[in-house]
Amino acid sequence: MKSKLFLSIGCTLVTLWSCNTSYKPSGDPIAEVPFTQVHFCDSFWAPRMETNRTVSIPSAFEQCELNGRFDNFALAGGLIKGEHKGDFSFDDTDPYKIIEGASYSLAVKYDKKLDAYLDSVINLIEAAQEPDGYLCTCVTNKCTRLSGWWGNSRWEKINSHELYNCGHLYEAAVAHYKATGKKTLLNIAIKNADLICQVFGPAEGQKHVPSGHPIVEMALAKLYKVTKNENYLKLAKYFVEETGRGTDGHKLNQYSQDHMPILQQKEIVGHAVRAGYLYSGVADVASLTHDTAYFHALKNIWENMAGKKLYITGGIGSRAQGEGFGPNYELHNHQAYCETCAAIANVYWNQRMFLATGDAKYIDIVERAMYNGVIAGVSLSGDKFFYDNPLESMGQHERQKWFGCACCPGNITRFMPSIPNYVYATQGNDIFVNLYVQSHSSINTNSNTVEIRQTTSYPWEGKVELTVNPDKQEKFAIRLRVPGWVKSNPVPSDLYAFTDKPQSVSIQINGKKESASESDGYSTIVRTWKKGDKITIDFPMPVRQIKANDKVMDDKGKLAIQRGPIIFCLEGHDQPDQHVLNKYIPENSTFQVEFDKNLLNGVVVLKGKAREVLEAGKEKETDFTAIPYSTWNNRGANEMAVWIPSSASYARPNPQPTIASQAKTFTLRGPIQKDAPVTAETEEWAWGVNDQWEPKSSSDISKPYHYWWLKKGSIETLVYEFDKPETISSVDVYWLDFDHYDGNFRIPESWKLYFKEGNNWKEVQASTPYSVKKDCYNHLAFKPVTTKSLKIAAQLRKGESGGVIEWKVNK
């Protein structure tokens, strides 16, 4: 009755539910169809999932062995002696996430060897758990090297990630229990959850703080669903409600979405992964407690995300600083952060919004993120990963086998086998078809079991045939999602729009055209279904160009290319001159669609004619080939772009090399006073100041730049090293200056320029003043020097950081 009341209330709240008169959903809650009941047999997802099982999971476990993740548990359990390894307090989550992914894989395809391996890892985790249930190895191991994260005792710091560790433990435990029926890891999770229920909460003597790095909220909700222990749901709700309160004097901040209570939030800010995890947890709590107020708040935040801060690839988070969001409409391409984990979190959040509302617009973003932003994060070989996913590159980006902060590889391993979870949902006796994948499924409704077989070449082709086989003949609704990419707007907002008109979708039942009612993004067919009934859908799949809202400055004068759910890009490997950024493709261009079975494990490619911009305003026609964005960087580093100029004025001719552009760039740690010996300094690679992109202002962070991360008020350096001695008489420096909640970047207080003479640095003899002006190049002329190295030494302002956007060197 409570669920029916919740849905009834929802229909009275404007835009939360659409109460369509031609089709009225039952009052039952919407339920996921478990991924174990949906079996893929397609050529797109099934091979990727198998690669995840056979390559990604084993390679990630191997990295855990090599990088000491398992040793830390053994050390905490007294099984070995030694030093705690790793650089972060949350390294425990890497094994947890991979265990979750491995458990999902076991549920789909049993592997005796993997099952036994998980048992051995769980034995280590059990040994590391303290008698009262506490489990965080860097604290148990008293790793003072990491005390900046956790302090000197348990639960001391809100950003210690202790609760983040707990959350991933619970998610792994639930997955392992559901996959194997074993309670070994589940019992560890329960013991730990019972402890945090004692430590945190509203009562006197308990800690009154939010979770710090959200995930424990949705993890506690999962644990509650399995155990039915009300304390877990109550604690999840407590962490949600405690966000933004500042109880007991803890400092509010945007980084963890802790700047104000969730019910008051209307803009998505802060760390993108934390945001996606937090709002997923809020949705879980709201659903389980029937709280419509939280759904209204989530809807406001979601509208800001979907309308002002969503990348066309389904990624979120524009900035490396704070790994999160910038202002509205800041959607830089070259500098897009779009963390792989954030794209996954975006799927989690939107799936939960769909379950609460039954609106297909949320699945539109699920699909967009899955086919583009998420799987771009892993190589086709399954053993290399992107942490961030730019939409433009000069060739400096490349996937890595592992990271010091290795959250993304583990997240990929747990997400890939769960993808069948997003295909169907039920509401009473009705069935939602949300994704189109060749598969066979067994779906349990309130009063029936319905087998559905999908036959399709989606996402390469738009024809889908569904064979419906109910156990018993019965009247119910099948709701077929009409993807947003078929309509006028690629995403459910005015952030992007197609440049052409949409085409109509054709639906047939048993060979006869069907007129289906449409609401909430679904074509709904209500009839008495019998075994062998066939639904045939023909989604038109023309190549479509996309323009961004005029307020998205970095996309001005550019168009993106989409066919079906797939976003395409140009990559240098496929272009005659190996370059991308010097080309434009006019609006309404003609595209040829070809399937190349020998390219990138088999993909559709788009071909056509582009214009190549040369020096002195000259142009020439050239061929182009576009590939799916998700498959770029599988043939080595090269230029790449998703947003392609549509006219010559927005293309960039290949710049001629300069002294600066050919220099090696790095920073120095060590003595920086003049006449200091070079041998006393150590080099750290730097990037972004000699790429020859012209900044528009000191706050223009759309292209590469260098900033002195976490440095404030200190003297910081930037060095050019040339291949041979160069005679230089002046430099031009464009200083960085912009605001960020995680630390501002300001023009420096002062600076000096040094040249290397022999084994020492000497200051140049300046003939013009050192200037520190914003929004322009700061020119410094000096007595010519012949040298192989120049060094900027910048005195940062007190309490502020700084950086350089571009640094030119002149003979």
Side-chain angles (χ1 to χ4, degrees):
M1 289 299 294
K2 287 184 178 179
S3 296
K4 291 183 179 180
L5 177 61
F6 183 46
L7 285 169
S8 176
I9 291 172
C11 282
T12 66
L13 298 172
V14 177
T15 74
L16 189 58
W17 266 274
S18 175
C19 301
N20 185 276
T21 54
S22 59
Y23 167 74
K24 292 185 178 180
S26 71
D28 296 280
I30 300 172
E32 294 175 313
V33 174
F35 70 92
T36 52
Q37 294 174 223
V38 183
H39 304 281
F40 288 0
C41 49
D42 70 320
S43 61
F44 188 92
W45 288 114
R48 285 170 167 80
M49 291 166 63
E50 182 64 7
T51 298
N52 185 72
R53 186 183 74 85
T54 59
V55 178
S56 302
I57 290 172
S59 96
F61 273 139
E62 181 184 18
Q63 291 293 337
C64 285
E65 294 174 3
L66 294 173
N67 291 280
R69 301 298 195 261
F70 295 150
D71 286 348
N72 289 340
F73 287 100
L75 182 64
L79 304 178
I80 62 172
K81 292 184 179 181
E83 295 293 325
H84 187 92
K85 299 178 181 178
D87 298 325
F88 301 99
S89 62
F90 47 84
D91 285 343
D92 292 358
T93 63
D94 296 334
Y96 295 155
K97 283 183 277 192
I98 305 164
I99 289 170
E100 183 180 352
S103 298
Y104 289 148
S105 289
L106 281 178
V108 175
K109 187 173 183 178
Y110 182 72
D111 183 328
K112 184 177 180 180
K113 184 177 178 181
L114 179 59
D115 192 6
Y117 185 86
L118 292 186
D119 287 342
S120 68
V121 175
I122 292 167
N123 286 338
L124 289 177
I125 296 169
E126 183 179 27
Q129 187 168 38
E130 297 190 27
D132 65 352
Y134 184 82
L135 186 54
C136 183
T137 63
C138 74
V139 178
T140 299
N141 293 333
K142 296 181 173 57
C143 182
T144 56
R145 176 173 53 85
L146 299 180
S147 60
W149 289 99
W150 62 273
N152 299 297
S153 60
R154 293 181 183 183
W155 320 118
E156 181 182 321
K157 294 190 174 185
I158 192 172
N159 203 32
S160 66
H161 289 75
E162 288 161 278
L163 289 171
Y164 176 73
N165 288 350
C166 295
H168 277 297
L169 168 64
Y170 304 165
E171 296 215 315
V174 170
H176 185 254
Y177 169 67
K178 286 185 173 181
T180 67
K182 300 176 185 178
K183 292 187 175 182
T184 47
L185 191 57
L186 184 65
N187 288 336
I188 295 170
I190 289 171
K191 189 175 182 181
N192 180 266
D194 289 343
L195 173 66
I196 69 168
C197 284
Q198 296 172 25
V199 174
F200 296 90
E204 186 176 349
Q206 291 181 301
K207 290 188 71 67
H208 302 156
V209 291
S211 64
H213 189 312
I215 200 174
V216 74
E217 298 84 358
M218 59 174 166
L220 282 165
K222 282 187 179 181
L223 199 58
Y224 160 73
K225 291 176 184 178
V226 168
T227 65
K228 305 303 179 185
N229 186 331
E230 292 281 345
N231 290 331
Y232 303 155
L233 178 57
K234 289 177 182 178
L235 185 59
K237 184 178 181 180
Y238 171 77
F239 284 134
V240 166
E241 293 183 338
E242 190 62 31
T243 299
R245 285 185 175 180
T247 311
D248 290 352
H250 88 263
K251 186 179 179 181
L252 301 180
N253 70 87
Q254 288 189 2
Y255 186 62
S256 302
Q257 294 71 48
D258 186 30
H259 55 299
M260 65 176 66
I262 291 167
L263 292 177
Q264 298 174 22
Q265 296 181 24
K266 293 185 178 179
E267 180 180 358
I268 193 164
V269 298
H271 190 279
V273 179
R274 295 176 188 230
Y277 286 171
L278 174 62
Y279 300 137
S280 295
V282 174
D284 281 339
V285 169
S287 288
L288 292 168
T289 60
H290 315 303
D291 191 323
T292 56
Y294 271 115
F295 274 117
H296 276 299
L298 287 176
K299 181 176 175 294
N300 290 333
I301 300 166
W302 181 90
E303 286 180 347
N304 176 256
M305 181 275 291
K308 297 177 175 66
K309 299 189 181 185
L310 176 68
Y311 279 91
I312 196 64
T313 56
I316 53 175
S318 64
R319 292 188 175 185
Q321 295 85 6
E323 298 184 315
F325 299 96
N328 290 337
Y329 300 106
E330 181 187 274
L331 293 165
H332 303 317
N333 295 305
H334 207 117
Q335 292 297 101
Y337 203 67
C338 288
E339 186 178 337
T340 298
C341 289
I344 291 172
N346 205 20
V347 171
Y348 292 158
W349 180 21
N350 278 277
Q351 171 73 352
R352 285 161 169 80
M353 294 299 287
F354 156 73
L355 292 171
T357 65
D359 197 320
K361 67 183 181 182
Y362 301 112
I363 302 298
D364 283 344
I365 294 181
V366 167
E367 182 183 62
R368 181 166 296 277
M370 281 174 47
Y371 277 97
N372 302 288
V374 172
I375 58 174
V378 59
S379 64
L380 292 172
S381 60
D383 59 353
K384 291 184 179 180
F385 305 88
F386 271 139
Y387 196 106
D388 54 324
N389 293 274
L391 278 72
E392 183 179 276
S393 178
M394 295 169 61
Q396 74 273 33
H397 300 92
E398 189 140 28
R399 293 182 181 87
Q400 306 295 322
K401 283 187 173 293
W402 196 249
F403 305 94
C405 175
C407 53
C408 295
N411 240 350
I412 285 286
T413 64
R414 75 183 183 129
F415 183 80
M416 292 300 290
S418 72
I419 288 172
N421 189 67
Y422 302 97
V423 176
Y424 298 105
T426 61
Q427 185 175 20
N429 289 325
D430 299 340
I431 297 172
F432 292 87
V433 183
N434 284 333
L435 299 178
Y436 300 97
V437 183
Q438 181 150 303
S439 57
H440 55 91
S441 311
S442 179
I443 301 169
N444 297 320
T445 66
N446 278 3
S447 62
N448 210 340
T449 298
V450 182
E451 178 196 69
I452 295 182
R453 290 184 173 269
Q454 288 197 38
T455 303
T456 180
S457 295
Y458 196 96
W460 308 129
E461 301 299 334
K463 185 176 181 180
V464 183
E465 184 177 272
L466 298 95
T467 303
V468 182
N469 292 312
D471 269 7
K472 59 182 180 183
Q473 189 169 303
E474 187 177 41
K475 184 177 182 179
F476 57 90
I478 292 183
R479 309 200 67 194
L480 305 167
R481 174 177 152 265
V482 180
W485 54 260
V486 175
K487 306 170 189 175
S488 297
N489 294 83
V491 302
S493 70
D494 66 353
L495 186 56
Y496 304 107
F498 288 114
T499 60
D500 62 348
K501 301 287 186 182
Q503 298 180 20
S504 60
V505 176
S506 168
I507 300 176
Q508 294 183 341
I509 305 293
N510 298 327
K512 295 181 179 179
K513 188 175 181 179
E514 180 75 16
S515 296
S517 64
E518 296 186 11
S519 64
D520 300 327
Y522 291 92
S523 288
T524 301
I525 303 168
V526 182
R527 60 178 277 141
T528 299
W529 297 93
K530 62 182 184 302
K531 289 185 179 181
D533 281 341
K534 281 186 169 58
I535 306 171
T536 303
I537 317 167
D538 193 355
F539 295 120
M541 267 196 186
V543 179
R544 307 186 73 183
Q545 291 175 291
I546 301 167
K547 61 182 179 182
N549 188 297
D550 289 341
K551 295 178 182 178
V552 182
M553 298 308 297
D554 205 35
D555 294 341
K556 194 173 181 64
K558 302 174 186 177
L559 298 172
I561 307 168
Q562 181 166 352
R563 181 176 181 272
I566 304 295
I567 291 293
F568 285 79
C569 70
L570 299 188
E571 189 174 20
H573 296 290
D574 305 300
Q575 316 315 320
D577 65 346
Q578 298 289 298
H579 291 289
V580 164
L581 305 172
N582 61 343
K583 295 175 177 60
Y584 72 93
I585 301 175
E587 187 174 338
N588 299 322
S589 291
T590 300
F591 298 85
Q592 289 82 49
V593 179
E594 299 177 11
F595 184 82
D596 189 337
K597 66 179 181 180
N598 298 315
L599 179 67
L600 300 167
N601 292 355
V603 293
V604 161
V605 298
L606 309 178
K607 296 184 177 183
K609 297 293 184 181
R611 300 290 298 175
E612 187 174 305
V613 179
L614 310 172
E615 289 185 335
K618 295 181 180 178
E619 297 181 20
K620 71 174 185 178
E621 187 175 75
T622 186
D623 296 325
F624 77 84
T625 299
I627 62 168
Y629 167 74
S630 66
T631 63
W632 84 282
N633 193 244
N634 277 280
R635 296 167 290 176
N638 211 318
E639 290 185 18
M640 181 277 296
V642 167
W643 288 93
I644 313 301
S646 57
S647 64
S649 57
Y650 291 96
R652 183 199 195 212
N654 295 326
Q656 293 297 312
T658 65
I659 298 173
S661 72
Q662 298 176 91
K664 175 185 175 183
T665 57
F666 52 91
T667 62
L668 292 174
R669 294 287 172 259
I672 54 176
Q673 64 271 22
K674 76 175 184 178
D675 298 334
V678 174
T679 54
E681 299 170 315
T682 58
E683 299 179 6
E684 293 183 9
W685 179 78
W687 159 258
V689 295
N690 60 340
D691 49 56
Q692 299 179 278
W693 289 100
E694 287 297 326
K696 298 179 178 66
S697 69
S698 287
S699 61
D700 181 4
I701 56 174
S702 63
K703 302 299 181 187
Y705 57 94
H706 175 76
Y707 63 101
W708 291 293
W709 185 50
L710 300 181
K711 304 296 182 180
K712 296 181 180 181
S714 53
I715 298 176
E716 298 300 326
T717 64
L718 189 62
V719 175
Y720 275 162
E721 185 177 283
F722 314 120
D723 289 337
K724 59 182 178 62
E726 298 282 359
T727 300
I728 300 162
S729 62
S730 67
V731 298
D732 295 278
V733 182
Y734 209 114
W735 299 109
L736 181 70
D737 191 288
F738 73 97
D739 296 321
H740 193 266
Y741 66 84
D742 202 33
N744 293 326
F745 298 85
R746 294 286 175 249
I747 56 173
E749 187 177 291
S750 61
W751 64 291
K752 297 291 184 183
L753 183 69
Y754 299 91
F755 68 99
K756 188 169 71 175
E757 183 177 81
N759 204 35
N760 295 301
W761 290 109
K762 292 186 177 294
E763 185 179 351
V764 299
Q765 295 181 30
S767 57
T768 58
Y770 285 96
S771 61
V772 284
K773 296 178 181 178
K774 288 199 305 183
D775 304 327
C776 65
Y777 279 101
N778 291 261
H779 183 74
L780 178 71
F782 45 84
K783 181 181 177 181
V785 298
T786 301
T787 184
K788 284 191 70 176
S789 288
L790 289 178
K791 176 175 69 173
I792 289 173
Q795 173 64 61
L796 303 184
R797 296 180 183 273
K798 184 178 180 180
E800 308 284 8
S801 188
V804 175
I805 300 181
E806 198 72 10
W807 175 14
K808 296 180 179 180
V809 174
N810 311 303
K811 290 187 175 182

